[in-house]
């Protein structure tokens, strides 16, 4: 039976993942970091409560905070984005911490990360590994 291509279209995404990248890490690293801008396109606040990826054993939301010149990382249980707003994950601030890559990853590799929020459908984004520019 022929049917128009759009009859089973996925719902409109409510998160827009912009400028996303995973920082390439030295070979053998058990932890990597991802940075991006996450925009909430919906009319509701969104709380992202977990992250999943086939490329890593687990993912946590972290924030680097400088205390007396020393960088410390704290874990956030979730990332809240008010309706229509965006949140920036950047080096030296909030980031996703990616644990135990399933295989060595280098610049150019792509990894899918799924964002799971409380009141929206899960949404996935393909994110490219890049060499950090210092
Ligand atoms: Cu971290």
């Amino acid at each position: 039976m022929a049917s128009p291509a759009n009859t089973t279209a996925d719902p409109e995404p409510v998160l827009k993942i912009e400028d996303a990248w995973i920082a390439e890490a030295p070979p053998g690293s058990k932890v990597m970091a991802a940075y991006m801008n996450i925009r909430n396109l919906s009319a509701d606040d969104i709380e992202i409560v977990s992250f999943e990826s086939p490329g890593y054993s687990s993912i946590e939301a972290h924030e680097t905070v400088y205390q007396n010149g020393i960088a410390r990382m704290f874990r956030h249980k979730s990332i809240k984005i008010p309706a229509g707003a965006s949140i920036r994950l950047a080096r030296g601030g909030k980031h996703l911490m990616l644990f135990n890559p399933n295989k060595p990853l280098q610049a150019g590799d792509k990894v899918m990360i799924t964002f799971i929020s409380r009141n929206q459908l899960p949404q996935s984004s393909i994110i490219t590994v890049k060499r950090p520019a210092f």
Side-chain angles (χ1 to χ4, degrees):
M1 185 181 93
S3 62
N6 278 336
T7 49
T8 57
D10 289 333
E12 284 292 306
V14 292
L15 297 174
K16 187 170 186 195
I17 311 298
E18 304 164 313
D19 301 327
W21 64 292
I22 293 169
E24 188 185 51
S29 293
K30 291 292 175 205
V31 64
M32 299 173 81
Y35 307 104
M36 66 200 72
N37 204 58
I38 308 175
R39 189 173 298 279
N40 177 357
L41 302 175
S42 80
D44 299 304
D45 296 352
I46 290 179
E47 183 178 9
I48 303 171
V49 292
S50 66
F51 306 85
E52 290 179 2
S53 173
Y56 297 94
S57 67
S58 63
I59 299 177
E60 295 178 358
H62 279 194
E63 182 164 8
T64 301
V65 177
Y66 292 88
Q67 293 178 329
N68 302 320
I70 298 168
R72 297 172 178 275
M73 285 198 300
F74 293 92
R75 182 178 182 183
H76 286 284
K77 286 194 174 135
S78 66
I79 292 179
K80 291 175 187 162
I81 312 171
S86 65
I87 193 163
R88 183 163 168 75
L89 311 187
R91 292 161 84 193
K94 294 190 174 77
H95 55 276
L96 298 187
M97 204 94 250
L98 316 169
F99 294 98
N100 303 310
N102 293 338
K103 64 181 177 87
L105 293 168
Q106 52 191 4
D109 289 338
K110 295 178 190 303
V111 181
M112 186 175 73
I113 294 179
T114 301
F115 301 77
I116 297 161
S117 55
R118 235 180 251 296
N119 51 350
Q120 302 284 351
L121 293 171
Q123 195 176 319
S124 298
S125 186
I126 306 283
I127 299 178
T128 302
V129 178
K130 293 183 182 171
R131 189 157 300 151
F134 290 98

